[in-house]
Each structure stands twice: as C-alpha cells, then as structure tokens.
Amino acid sequence: MPDIKVTPLGAGQDVGRSCILVSIGGKNIMLDCGMHMGYNDDRRFPDFSYITQNGRLTDYLDCVIISHFHLDHCGALPYMSEMVGYDGPIYMTHPTKAICPILLEDFRKITVDKKGETNFFTSQMIKDCMKKVVPLNLHQTVQVDDELEIKAYYAGHVLGAAMVQIKVGSESVVYTGDYNMTPDRHLGAAWIDKCRPDILITESTYATTIRDSKRCRERDFLKKVHESIERGGKVLIPVFALGRAQELCILLETFWERMNLKAPIYFSTGLTEKANHYYKLFITWTNQKIRKTFVQRNMFEFKHIKAFDRSYADNPGPMVVFATPGMLHAGQSLQIFKKWAGNEKNMVIMPGYCVQGTVGHKILNGQKKLEMEGRATLEVKLQVEYMSFSAHADAKGIMQLIRMAEPHNILLVHGEAKKMAFLKDKIEQEFNISCYMPANGETTTVTTNPSVPVDISLNLLKREMALGGPLPDPKRPRTMHGTLIMKDNSLRLVSPEQALKELGLSEHQLRFTCRVHLQDPHSDTDTLSRIYSHLKSVLKGYAVQHLPDSTVMVESIVLKVSSSAEEPDLKVVLLSWCFQDEELGSFLSTLLKKGLPSAL
Amino acid sequence: MKLYCLSGHPTLPCNVLKFKSTTIMLDCGLDTTSALYYLPLPLVHSPRLSKLPGWVSKDGTVNLEKELKECAGRVFVDSQPEFCLPERELLDLSTVDVILISNYHCMMALPYITEHTGFSGTVYATEPTFQIGRLLMEELVTFMERVPKAQSATCWKTKEIQRRMLPGPLKDAVDVWSWRTCYSMQEVNSALSRVQLVGYWQKVELFGAVQVTPLSSGYSLGSSNWIIQSHFEKVSYVSGSSLLTTHPQPMDQSSLKNSDVLILTGLTQIPTANPDGMLGEFCSNLAMTIRAGGNVLVPCYSSGVIYDLLECLYQFMDSANLGTTPFYFISPVANSSLEFSQIFAEWLCQNKQSKVYLPEPPFPHAELIQTNRLKHYTSIHGEFSSEFRQPCVVFTGHPSLRFGDVVHFLELWGKSSLNTIIFTEPDFSYLDALAPYQPLAMKCVYCPIDTRLNFHQVAKLLKEVQPLHVVCPEQYTQPPPAQSHRSDLMLELQPPPVAYRRCSVLGLPFRRRHERIQLLPEVLMNYK
C-alpha cells in the first residue's frame, strides 16, 4: 500500500522555525522554512542536514511552499536556498512575496549590523532567493510537474496567509500554516472546501484555549490603554510591523476618534507607511467590509498615528508606541522597553504569543529582574499585560476546520507538546480518526488507500446500467461484468467480447453439470413435466420451456431426467449451465434438492 | 453535444453548450448598438432636441409624430433607448446550470437572463470581471435613471409599419420586438448575487461530470477563456483575447492545446487598424487640438482601454510640453474604476505586478490624480461645473453618444471647429453615433483601439493549438462586407470552421467513447 511520510524539521511539538517535509507519491515537498526567535545559535534554523549530509537540496526537493511572511515561517529561506543550496521553485502568494523580503532584510540587519554576527545571509542572497519565487493565487491549481499539483486557500492570520493543498494522483495533504477561523477588523476567516485530504497538518498554537469573545478582549485592551494614558503613563505595544499592528492601529484609531483623545500614537520604524501601502494595494486579501468600502474610505489611512522617532521616547507625558519586533527579543521595542521598564506608571501590552527564551516570554512569566547583555540587570516595574490578539485559531476553530476539510488523519505542529497531547485526545475522541504529533526529526508514516482510475468504454457502461432498469439507484451496490485490461501503464474496463477481440483470443465455454437425486414415483416423462410446472410456478419472469426432446430449458440451463431399471423411483436430474448463469444454475440445483412439492 | 447560439453579434456572444447532461451558458453579451436608433438623452434641457418635427409617412396615412422624430435628415425613436438581448425563446433558460463569463463587456445582459426566467444556477467570473462588470452595469442604470423618459415607444415596431413604411436605417433594424429597456439596480444586484468568484487555473467541478477552468486571455482585467472538459473530451471557449502587451496578464495559449472543439468568438472588430498606430494618432490629434486652444472629447467606457490611454498620455503630455492640460474623467463610477484598477495586481502583466512589490500603485494614473492633473467627477453637475478649465481633455461615456454625460459635451462643444472628438471604442460606427448631432463643426477623429486578436494572430494561434474542430460566428468565415476582396480578413481552415448565426443549433461533431471510473484498491488486490 502506498504511504505518505511527514517529518517536521521545525515546529514539531514546538513553536518556531516551522519546516515540515512531506513525501507523497514519490514527491518531496518542504512546507515553510522558518527561524526560531528563541535561539541565537545553530538551533535558530531547521537542521537541513537531515535531508542530505552533503551538498545541495535541489535534487531532494520538488518544491518549497511558504505559507505566510512571518519569520518563523520564512526566516531561514535565504539560508536554505543560497547557503545550503536549492534552485527549485519556491511558492508563495503575492502579498507574501512582496512583504517577505522586507522582513528578511530587517532580520538580517538586526543580526549582522547590530549583533555583529558573521556567516549570515546577505542582502544579495535575499534578492537571489526571491528570484526563485513563483507567485501563487488563491484557488489556482498550480501544476508543479506532471503529477504534483498545489492549490492555495485563504487562511486569515496575516495579509497573504495561505493554506495549501498538495496533491499527487488521488492522494493529498493539506497544510494550514497559521490560520484564523474568525474574521477580525481587517482580515477574513480561513476557508477550505470539503477536500478530504489523507492528512491535515494543522497548527495548534492555541490547542487548549477557547477564547472569549473578541469584543471583550478589545474592550479590555482599550480600557487598559486608556487608564494608563489618563494617569500620564506611556504604553508600549511590541508588534511585528505587519499583521496585528494594523489590526490594533485600526482599533486605536477608531477609539481615539470616538473618545476625542489627544495623546500621541506612534508607530516605530519607517516601515509603517510602506506597510500600510501594501495593505492598500492588496485590499482584495482583507475582509469583506474593508473591500466593500475602500473606495469611499480606506481603513489603512490613519489620522492619529504618526511615525516614531527615537528621541520621542524621552518626551514627557503620555503616549502609545507600537514598536517592532513583537517578542521584545531585539531592536527598537527592546530599546524602548529598557527605557520605560523602571516606571510603574508605564505599561507594556504583549498582544501575541512569545517564544521561550525571549524577553517577552520572561516578563509574561512574571520575571521581575532581567539579565541583560554585559551582566547588567534590569528591574521590571512597569505593568505587564498579555492580551491574545494573535490571529490563530483556538481549539474551537481547529475543530471547525477539521469539520470543513474532513481529513482521514490529522497531524499537529506549531504548538507546545502538552497542549498538543490534550488536543490530540480531543480530536481522536470527537472525530474517531488518527492524530499524530511528531517531534522534530521524527517521521510519521500514514498508509493511504487511493482508488485506481480506470477508463471504461461508454458502451459497456451504458449496457450494464440498462440491466438494472431505467435509472441507476445510487444507494444499491450492483455487480458489473467486464474485463480489465492492463496495458501500457493504463487500465481499461471493456466488455468481454471486445477484450477477446483485442487480445486475439477465442472464447472458451465453462459449463457446470450436476446431478440431483429425487425420489419421485412417476415415469421419467411425468417427472420432467412435474419439474417443468414446479419451475414455472417458482421462476416467474424467466423463460422456462419444455422441449420435445425431453428436456426442460430455464434460460440457457438444460435439465434432463433419467432413472435406472433397478430403482425406477430414484430419478437422476441432470443440470447443465454455463459459467455466466452460475447464479441461476446453483439456485436451481438447491431448489431441486429440496424435492418436488407433493401437490403437483 | 449541442451548441445553441443565442446571439449573432461576434464580439458580444451568448452561446449555450449542452455537454454530458450539463447546460453551460458561455457569456451573455448585451448588444447596445440598438441605442443608435434612438434620440440622445440630454442631461440638460436641449431646445434643439425638444423642437424636432415628428415623423409622418409621405402619403400621410401613418402618423407616428409622438414616437419618431426627424433629426438631421434621419428618423430616430424618441423614447428610452432599448437594447438587443440574446435570444430567449430558443431554449428554456431555467434549465441553464451555469453561466461562464469571459470578460466584463460580455456579462452586460446578465440580469435579463437570470431574473424573471426561472434561472437558478451559478454564474462564474473572476473578481475583476465581477467588480468592473458591476460598475459598468451601475453606470448604465444611472445613465438611464438620471434622465427618465415617460414614453416607451412601441407602435413603430409594428411589422407592417417598420418594414414597409419607415425610412432606412430604422427599417432594416432586426428583432425589434425583443429589444428591452434597461434593467434596474435591484435586478443588477440580484443577478450579481449569483456570481461565484474564480481564479485563473482554478478547476471547478460541475456535478462531477464536467470540469471548467478559466484561463488568462490577455484582453482586459480578469478576462478569461474557458476550458470545459471531461476526462476524455475537451472544449475550449475563446472569447475576447489579446496578444498585445497592455495592462492585463498575458494570454495563456498553451492550455488550449488538444481541444476537440474550439469555440472562437471576440476577434477584433477593426481588423485593418493597428492599435499602436491608432494610439500614436490619438496623441498627435489630441496635442494639435490643445495647442490650438480647443478641447478634446473622448467618448469611452469607464474601464479598459482608458487605463492605457491615461498611461500613454502620462508620458506623452510632458514630452509634448502640455503638462498643465487637465484631464477630466466623468462617470458615476469614475472614482471606483480608477481605485479598483490599482488593487488587482495579481491580474496584471508582469511589470505592473512588480510595482506593487515596491510598493507602488501599478497604474501611473495614481500620480496624475495626486498631482491634480487628472480629476474625476460623478457627473457634469456639481463640482465639475465650477472647477473645470479649458482647454482640457474629457473622458466620458457612453460611447454610443446616446446617453451619459457625453451628450452634454457634444451639445456644448459641437459648434466650434477648435474642438475635437476622438473615437477610440470600436463598438459603434462613429458616423451613426454622430448622426443626430449633425451638422457638426467639431473635428472628428476615428482612432479605434481594439486589442483583440486579428485574423493573422488567430491563424497562428490555431496552427499552434491544433483543435480538431473550430466553431465561430458566420461573420468570420467571409471577408467583411465593406472589404469583400480582402480574403485575408477571414478564417481559412482545414477542415473549414463550423459557422453559426443567431438562433443556430449545432450538433458538435464528436462522439464520446470512454468514461472514467474509480476502482477500490480492494478490488484490484484480488488480481494480484
């Protein structure tokens, strides 16, 4: 039996450096190629030596697919393609293709220019890597080669995020990337058709969480920001430049407008305006409401939100600052955090998930003293708030997607092991299908049961259909007769006559004969007549004939009666039928073995 | 397999394909050339048009002075303009399962097909086709409802009168009883609610019997050709396609290979004009008029070639030292059309696509708007009347010159020979369009820009994709009537194409022999 193999190189029982290898129908596909925010050493990137110890990956991979532009899904891409070596196609959606190189360049700058690391990918490598990208449109079927096809579905989560279906013959896998099942202020909800994949590889970031209503969370968020501003504090919101940032900007913008607030809102880095441009140009990827009204009012033109300058951080008075990156592991958000951490009037709101090892993760766990570079310690006095605004599906959402796609197996990635195990139990209980959660480097093998396409001649199909009456009854199985010819790697089902003709064979007849003994005290001819009337009454609708040469014919089945002189009452009924009438023939023999009814 | 041909117009097709028990309508174009028989609908009261004499037959026996008016030596119908619909009697429209739309010009009859006919199927179109199609319908409805006319003329249609008594060209109009006035916005919304959006190369299964796939056709934003196939048979439907590099994504030719039948519609309507040459002529005439202090009027549709014209002028005006000349784009949907054009990057040609990666808007008209050189207005009323400066260039519809803001500009500028009207849309004969405005002092320039395939390109395409049979409108099987000696302006194929006309029902020449079934692996295991 054929099987599909799935091996996570990253994101197996973990969040970060998503990278999953899939082998299906002889094809190898890499899904995502991300970096890990929690590490600064080799563990930052997936371990590509798993694929091959020596040299380039081009010969081992048929294609690479990137689900969205977050660095934990694409951060290792230039390293993989330019430093390890891969020249095949890399698929991603248009918005991802537009935004991904900017984030990679940002990542490179922080690592090389600020931290001074060497042996890292260069700007040119990012450019060369992006040249290998083939843009993907939603719902378009892309033929990677003659056998392998992929198709993207809308995933919500961030601008341009996609789920992908990978298909070879009748076997298929769906990889969700990160997705969101509830529409928010700027994105729509993920959607997939009932494509019944053999395996659904789904993220499980919020495997155990069922989030309360979005409105409550938004109200909470606004209340906290408002209170802090009122008492003259500064609010830091670490975000990634694209994604939640726009969602929260829309939220604050409308709130400021409604409450007529005057405190400044800033957005760090020059990326803001550029980022908002992307949102305007890719408006077809946002939610329905924004798409409908964009001509009258573009939601991404903000009135209250201005560009941030480093010197503003020391300005007196309240302010709200969106700063990158989102997990406080480097860059401007960390700098501002250091400045503001000592004042209890200030506040930091973490709007998303933080990977282990990052400052964000530490302060969320209540750590009050942080060790910084150069042995300095930083006291955390400001208020730390966590508010889940990351656009991941919660447990309910994951179940909903499973119901939508109806997979035969589920494989969990992009989550913490403990939470995954909980969700795994729940899925297995509710859907009664197998659920896997391999660790990094561990291979899951799923046996598939693909059906085999066969070409049938239309004549045969129509003839066999007609046998069952005018209309086929889809609820009833029916036997159909035909000859299967396997030739030149193709399968054809044709009528036996045609098969004989094609193969130049002559037909052999296979006949069954059997003798049935009957106690019947009559003459041979009378017995035959009695049999004739018996069959006539039982087999209504069949052609039963009494022929002059002392035989009875039922369709093509011949019956004869004889007896020996010694035992004239013991009749031997001779039945003979050909293979095609096997069903009727064996029915007759059983019937006659029961004897003739005396009433005849 | 059968093909029902509901429209005789080669570029506004409407065909119905019956294939494997599915009924598939291919496009539903609305022929608006019938509006040319009607008087223009002025936006502002026109003393000239309101004082026209009524028509009475020469012998005085027929008096239709309320319905027909004599204007500039021709007779026009004085009523709400009516359009020529696809044939609705040839087959029961409620049996149509799906409608496939190839481009926004070819869906304008949709409300007539889906509303009040019992139609309950699905319409498939790409997102740009859907959005821009909606804008064009909205515009048409606004044009009509803005200047309501109480009268609906029908007496002139009486066969005895129309055929025997009326002067030409009115007497030669065909199927006049099937003409209808414009639909309402409510009908448009209801019709569009049946549209399901598809992307290029998206495989759509119909009832598990047939698979349909839209392909990029290179003609307009989101325009598509369609593949209709089962496992063993393949029908290609080629509608408005272009091989020129304008703004849309290039045409996909290779996917049309190995078709059993190729239905060919929407070739260029002006096979003798080269679009590039026309564009050059357009620019030079425009510059000449502006330099002389005159205004330029460009009657056009609100989407399509106008984007290319604006892009061309964006470069040309500076080089011609006319950088300060204002452009005005006047249409109820002008703003929407300009905005929508910028958000469909995925549907544009490569170099426009790469602009959004920067990120910059794909079309340079964004810059024209930003620098105030291009201004758009919903109509001549309101802001426009106080803001406009002359000399200027005005883009406005409708290209038939029978309704829309263009009517006003003809009344306003027609009397001065300084001004020029430049025709770029190929759908209407410019002489017929201008007939009710004669005598006209304004200069007229005819620069039709039709980027659709010409006969040379189509011959090359067919040679490449090798369909077994070609089906096309009968107009393509003979040279145009005005150029009967040009045997290069027709399709010459071996075997000859199967020609259709309005109301033809064709049996398409191929027989199905095989079907695909799936064997469960358990069944096959028994034979190991």
Side-chain angles (χ1 to χ4, degrees):
Chain A
M1 279 292 199
D3 53 28
I4 302 175
K5 291 193 171 72
V6 182
T7 315
L9 296 186
Q13 303 181 4
D14 186 18
V15 177
R17 58 165 182 183
S18 283
C19 183
I20 297 132
L21 300 177
V22 173
S23 296
I24 173 172
K27 308 282 169 187
N28 298 316
I29 298 109
M30 179 187 285
L31 300 167
D32 280 338
C33 190
M35 54 87 79
H36 203 296
M37 313 261 180
Y39 300 115
N40 282 320
D41 51 20
D42 280 353
R43 289 172 295 174
R44 175 167 54 197
F45 292 148
D47 179 11
F48 297 114
S49 66
Y50 177 90
I51 303 172
T52 171
Q53 293 282 352
N54 32 16
R56 307 174 67 79
L57 305 177
T58 314
D59 295 340
Y60 302 89
L61 291 176
D62 290 278
C63 74
V64 175
I65 302 169
I66 303 294
S67 64
H68 64 285
F69 59 64
H70 277 155
L71 287 174
D72 58 328
H73 292 260
C74 70
L77 198 57
Y79 171 76
M80 191 274 304
S81 75
E82 306 310 306
M83 297 173 78
V84 180
Y86 169 75
D87 300 318
I90 301 168
Y91 293 96
M92 54 178 83
T93 65
H94 283 273
T96 308
K97 187 186 170 189
I99 295 163
C100 160
I102 296 170
L103 298 186
L104 286 170
E105 183 58 32
D106 239 36
F107 173 38
R108 190 198 66 80
K109 267 193 199 144
I110 290 175
T111 323
V112 178
D113 300 355
K114 296 241 169 84
K115 292 194 198 153
E117 275 189 51
T118 49
N119 195 23
F120 203 71
F121 54 77
T122 63
S123 295
Q124 188 56 43
M125 286 180 184
I126 299 177
K127 282 186 192 130
D128 292 341
C129 165
M130 293 314 289
K131 280 182 197 145
K132 297 170 185 170
V133 171
V134 183
L136 206 55
N137 294 318
L138 284 185
H139 301 163
Q140 167 193 3
T141 303
V142 175
Q143 215 71 43
V144 177
D145 57 35
D146 286 347
E147 288 156 337
L148 172 61
E149 58 180 53
I150 57 178
K151 182 177 177 183
Y153 292 92
Y154 190 79
H157 188 61
V158 288
L159 195 73
M163 308 192 269
V164 275
Q165 181 196 37
I166 301 142
K167 210 171 158 192
V168 179
S170 56
E171 294 175 282
S172 67
V173 171
V174 168
Y175 173 57
T176 63
D178 292 355
Y179 63 102
N180 188 9
M181 292 302 284
T182 43
D184 58 25
R185 275 168 197 268
H186 79 294
L187 295 171
W191 179 86
I192 194 162
D193 48 22
K194 210 181 275 309
C195 54
R196 300 195 172 96
D198 292 298
I199 309 177
L200 174 75
I201 305 176
T202 173
E203 66 136 323
S204 48
T205 324
Y206 289 115
T208 54
T209 322
I210 290 181
R211 280 181 294 179
D212 46 1
S213 97
K214 220 183 61 198
R215 294 232 167 273
C216 292
R217 258 178 294 145
E218 290 179 354
R219 214 171 26 234
D220 259 18
F221 170 80
L222 292 171
K223 203 172 125 206
K224 289 207 169 112
V225 173
H226 195 195
E227 280 168 4
S228 193
I229 295 292
E230 290 280 276
R231 62 169 185 260
K234 297 178 167 61
V235 182
L236 172 66
I237 308 171
V239 287
F240 289 100
L242 293 126
R244 289 307 87 196
Q246 278 68 27
E247 177 78 6
L248 295 176
C249 282
I250 293 176
L251 189 61
L252 280 191
E253 168 93 8
T254 31
F255 186 67
W256 249 238
E257 185 124 358
R258 195 171 39 152
M259 304 293 286
N260 203 11
L261 296 178
K262 293 284 178 274
I265 309 176
Y266 297 113
F267 200 114
S268 83
T269 76
L271 207 57
T272 349
E273 213 182 332
K274 217 172 171 187
N276 290 338
H277 260 303
Y278 282 117
Y279 278 83
K280 282 188 230 164
L281 293 171
F282 288 112
I283 215 112
T284 51
W285 287 80
T286 59
N287 71 26
Q288 203 159 15
K289 194 182 154 206
I290 291 188
R291 266 161 38 205
K292 243 186 168 159
T293 56
F294 89 104
V295 177
Q296 289 78 39
R297 176 160 190 240
N298 200 316
M299 289 300 274
F300 299 105
E301 273 160 20
F302 300 115
K303 267 190 265 165
H304 298 274
I305 300 167
K306 296 175 193 79
F308 181 74
D309 184 276
R310 195 180 295 187
S311 62
Y312 295 176
D314 299 320
N315 285 359
M319 66 173 86
V320 180
V321 176
F322 289 95
T324 57
M327 299 186 191
L328 285 178
H329 55 284
Q332 199 155 31
S333 61
L334 187 58
Q335 278 172 17
I336 299 173
F337 175 77
K338 282 186 204 163
K339 270 192 183 154
W340 293 358
N343 190 339
E344 59 277 357
K345 269 207 281 183
N346 296 341
M347 180 189 283
V348 60
I349 302 181
M350 307 298 297
Y353 183 87
C354 284
V355 162
Q356 216 158 26
T358 59
V359 173
H361 189 260
K362 286 175 194 158
I363 58 168
L364 279 181
N365 280 343
Q367 217 169 310
K368 287 291 173 201
K369 278 201 173 119
L370 295 172
E371 277 184 37
M372 306 310 284
E373 290 147 33
R375 301 228 175 139
T377 52
L378 181 68
E379 269 198 72
V380 182
K381 286 192 185 153
L382 86 178
Q383 287 185 59
V384 177
E385 295 287 344
Y386 172 72
M387 218 153 280
S388 155
F389 275 98
S390 32
H392 291 278
D394 60 2
K396 218 167 84 190
I398 296 171
M399 300 306 248
Q400 200 183 336
L401 186 83
I402 296 171
R403 232 165 274 131
M404 257 181 170
E406 287 193 3
H408 300 299
N409 298 278
I410 305 237
L411 193 143
L412 302 178
V413 294
H414 200 283
E416 288 161 30
K418 257 194 224 154
K419 295 183 182 173
M420 274 186 181
F422 177 83
L423 183 64
K424 176 173 142 68
D425 283 348
K426 213 174 137 194
I427 289 172
E428 285 177 333
Q429 264 172 32
E430 189 162 337
F431 297 103
N432 198 21
I433 52 180
S434 312
C435 183
Y436 306 87
M437 39 176 282
N440 287 336
E442 184 189 330
T443 301
T444 299
T445 306
V446 170
T447 308
T448 59
N449 203 9
S451 58
V452 183
V454 172
D455 298 346
I456 180 171
S457 96
L458 208 58
N459 282 338
L460 176 65
L461 188 64
K462 282 189 177 157
R463 192 176 78 185
E464 293 285 327
M465 292 304 257
L467 290 179
L471 284 174
D473 183 352
K475 286 178 193 152
R476 271 214 188 145
R478 267 227 321 268
T479 323
M480 113 163 239
H481 300 270
T483 311
L484 196 64
I485 301 184
M486 295 192 200
K487 208 168 146 190
D488 307 330
N489 220 358
S490 78
L491 287 177
R492 283 183 307 132
L493 194 63
V494 298
S495 62
E497 304 87 65
Q498 196 188 333
L500 287 171
K501 220 165 103 189
E502 260 182 52
L503 301 173
L505 299 174
S506 54
E507 192 176 356
H508 294 278
Q509 262 213 3
L510 185 60
R511 281 198 88 85
F512 297 99
T513 14
C514 87
R515 289 160 194 273
V516 177
H517 297 269
L518 276 181
Q519 281 295 341
D520 198 42
H522 297 276
S523 72
D524 288 0
T525 26
D526 283 356
T527 306
L528 192 67
S529 307
R530 283 161 52 80
I531 290 175
Y532 169 72
S533 14
H534 179 47
L535 294 182
K536 190 98 180 151
S537 68
V538 174
L539 296 170
K540 294 207 166 77
Y542 286 84
V544 185
Q545 292 167 282
H546 194 166
L547 299 178
D549 62 343
S550 335
T551 54
V552 164
M553 292 274 288
V554 181
E555 302 287 335
S556 69
I557 298 165
V558 184
L559 291 105
K560 276 188 176 166
V561 175
S562 58
S563 53
S564 59
E566 297 88 64
E567 282 184 90
D569 288 353
L570 182 69
K571 308 290 182 200
V572 179
V573 184
L574 185 83
L575 282 125
S576 166
W577 66 89
C578 67
F579 174 64
Q580 279 80 356
D581 281 322
E582 158 67 13
E583 217 173 322
L584 185 60
S586 45
F587 170 77
L588 281 187
S589 70
T590 345
L591 181 74
L592 289 177
K593 273 178 196 154
K594 289 180 194 153
L596 295 173
S598 49
L600 279 171
Chain B
M1 183 153 91
K2 271 189 170 167
L3 190 72
Y4 296 75
C5 309
L6 310 188
S7 159
H9 196 299
T11 35
L12 297 167
C14 182
N15 294 314
V16 175
L17 180 71
K18 285 203 178 187
F19 177 40
K20 280 188 79 176
S21 337
T22 54
T23 306
I24 303 170
M25 179 178 278
L26 307 168
D27 279 334
C28 47
L30 182 66
D31 185 356
T32 49
T33 51
S34 52
L36 293 176
Y37 298 104
Y38 290 77
L39 275 185
L41 295 178
L43 263 177
V44 179
H45 176 75
S46 156
R48 184 180 75 94
L49 290 174
S50 57
K51 282 191 199 128
L52 293 173
W55 180 83
V56 182
S57 66
K58 276 193 191 112
D59 55 6
T61 50
V62 181
N63 183 339
L64 285 176
E65 58 183 0
K66 283 222 172 80
E67 291 195 354
L68 302 178
K69 303 277 170 172
E70 279 189 71
C71 176
R74 277 205 203 187
V75 174
F76 292 92
V77 183
D78 184 17
S79 149
Q80 194 86 18
E82 295 185 338
F83 307 127
C84 177
L85 273 47
E87 191 58 50
R88 296 199 289 180
E89 308 295 322
L90 194 60
L91 93 171
D92 181 358
L93 291 176
S94 69
T95 61
V96 173
D97 297 311
V98 295
I99 303 180
L100 309 181
I101 304 291
S102 58
N103 63 64
Y104 45 77
H105 287 302
C106 289
M107 64 185 286
M108 296 298 281
L110 198 61
Y112 297 116
I113 304 290
T114 60
E115 306 309 300
H116 321 298
T117 57
F119 173 84
S120 61
T122 310
V123 182
Y124 290 97
T126 63
E127 184 165 7
T129 298
F130 168 74
Q131 295 290 8
I132 296 172
R134 184 172 54 79
L135 293 182
L136 294 183
M137 289 181 180
E138 215 178 285
E139 184 186 48
L140 194 64
V141 173
T142 315
F143 281 161
M144 294 298 169
E145 290 182 352
R146 219 162 46 173
V147 276
K149 238 182 172 155
Q151 161 160 276
S152 157
T154 49
C155 296
W156 69 275
K157 290 182 178 176
T158 316
K159 209 168 177 181
E160 289 71 38
I161 298 175
Q162 194 224 341
R163 289 273 183 246
R164 302 225 180 99
M165 316 289 284
L166 291 188
L170 209 47
K171 109 181 187 199
D172 304 315
V174 289
D175 294 319
V176 291
W177 282 106
S178 70
W179 293 5
R180 290 287 176 275
T181 52
C182 191
Y183 32 72
S184 68
M185 207 51 222
Q186 191 198 347
E187 285 166 320
V188 170
N189 289 332
S190 165
L192 291 179
S193 69
R194 299 169 192 274
V195 174
Q196 183 142 1
L197 299 182
V198 288
Y200 288 150
W201 298 288
Q202 177 177 348
K203 296 173 177 172
V204 181
E205 289 287 342
L206 304 183
F207 318 107
V210 185
Q211 191 183 61
V212 296
T213 313
L215 307 174
S216 165
S217 80
Y219 167 60
S220 62
L221 262 175
S223 70
S224 34
N225 292 322
W226 290 85
I227 302 286
I228 301 129
Q229 63 187 342
S230 67
H231 287 288
F232 298 94
E233 300 85 15
K234 176 169 172 179
V235 179
S236 295
Y237 172 56
V238 175
S239 178
S241 302
S242 175
L243 291 171
L244 298 181
T245 33
T246 56
H247 58 273
Q249 211 178 101
M251 176 184 180
D252 174 6
Q253 300 178 62
S254 57
S255 302
L256 299 172
K257 278 183 184 160
N258 305 320
S259 308
D260 295 289
V261 172
L262 186 144
I263 303 167
L264 180 68
T265 66
L267 301 183
T268 175
Q269 301 185 77
I270 320 286
T272 49
N274 162 16
D276 278 334
M278 287 296 136
L279 206 54
E281 222 166 285
F282 172 81
C283 288
S284 63
N285 277 295
L286 185 140
M288 214 150 59
T289 307
I290 299 288
R291 284 208 185 95
N295 299 300
V296 176
L297 178 61
V298 186
C300 62
Y301 291 114
S302 297
S303 179
V305 176
I306 185 172
Y307 304 142
D308 298 313
L309 291 179
L310 287 172
E311 179 158 9
C312 172
L313 289 176
Y314 166 80
Q315 292 158 352
F316 173 79
M317 294 306 265
D318 280 333
S319 67
N321 244 336
L322 294 167
T324 55
T325 315
F327 301 140
Y328 300 114
F329 177 15
I330 302 168
S331 155
V333 299
N335 185 26
S336 300
S337 164
L338 294 171
E339 289 284 340
F340 269 111
S341 67
Q342 305 287 20
I343 65 160
F344 290 127
E346 281 132 296
W347 309 86
L348 294 172
C349 63
Q350 194 71 47
N351 75 52
K352 291 228 175 319
Q353 225 172 63
S354 54
K355 278 206 164 170
V356 296
Y357 295 149
L358 295 178
E360 278 170 22
F363 285 97
H365 55 238
E367 200 187 313
L368 288 175
I369 295 171
Q370 222 167 26
T371 54
N372 267 327
R373 288 166 66 190
L374 170 63
K375 291 191 160 197
H376 51 80
Y377 300 92
T378 51
S379 89
I380 51 166
H381 299 302
E383 282 173 8
F384 174 73
S385 48
S386 57
E387 285 178 10
F388 98 112
R389 294 184 287 120
Q390 305 191 55
C392 62
V393 182
V394 169
F395 297 89
T396 188
H398 184 271
S400 67
L401 310 188
R402 290 302 178 273
F403 42 88
D405 300 90
V406 71
V407 175
H408 178 74
F409 285 98
L410 274 161
E411 298 280 332
L412 188 70
W413 290 345
K415 294 170 207 83
S416 164
S417 60
L418 278 179
N419 302 326
T420 306
I421 177 168
I422 309 183
F423 291 89
T424 55
E425 299 290 352
D427 286 0
F428 301 91
S429 140
Y430 78 102
L431 288 175
D432 288 340
L434 285 174
Y437 299 98
Q438 299 293 3
L440 206 62
M442 192 178 197
K443 279 199 289 290
C444 299
V445 179
Y446 185 52
C447 301
I449 297 172
D450 194 332
T451 57
R452 285 172 279 213
L453 296 176
N454 61 35
F455 286 98
H456 176 70
Q457 291 166 326
V458 89
K460 210 173 141 208
L461 172 75
L462 291 176
K463 211 167 167 188
E464 203 124 293
V465 305
Q466 297 275 354
L468 287 183
H469 303 278
V470 174
V471 177
C472 70
E474 61 175 355
Q475 288 92 332
Y476 297 160
T477 58
Q478 62 222 16
Q483 292 141 306
S484 52
H485 60 287
R486 294 285 300 267
S487 61
D488 58 327
L489 300 184
M490 61 179 277
L491 275 183
E492 274 188 289
L493 298 172
Q494 241 1 285
V498 184
Y500 71 81
R501 59 172 69 174
R502 193 179 168 102
C503 289
S504 296
V505 179
L506 306 177
L508 292 183
F510 71 76
R511 258 189 64 203
R512 296 177 46 225
R513 288 173 201 285
H514 290 96
E515 189 53 89
R516 174 70 53 91
I517 57 172
Q518 300 285 331
L519 273 192
L520 290 175
E522 292 84 344
V523 176
L524 272 186
M525 285 300 159
N526 295 336
Y527 296 101
K528 260 199 172 163

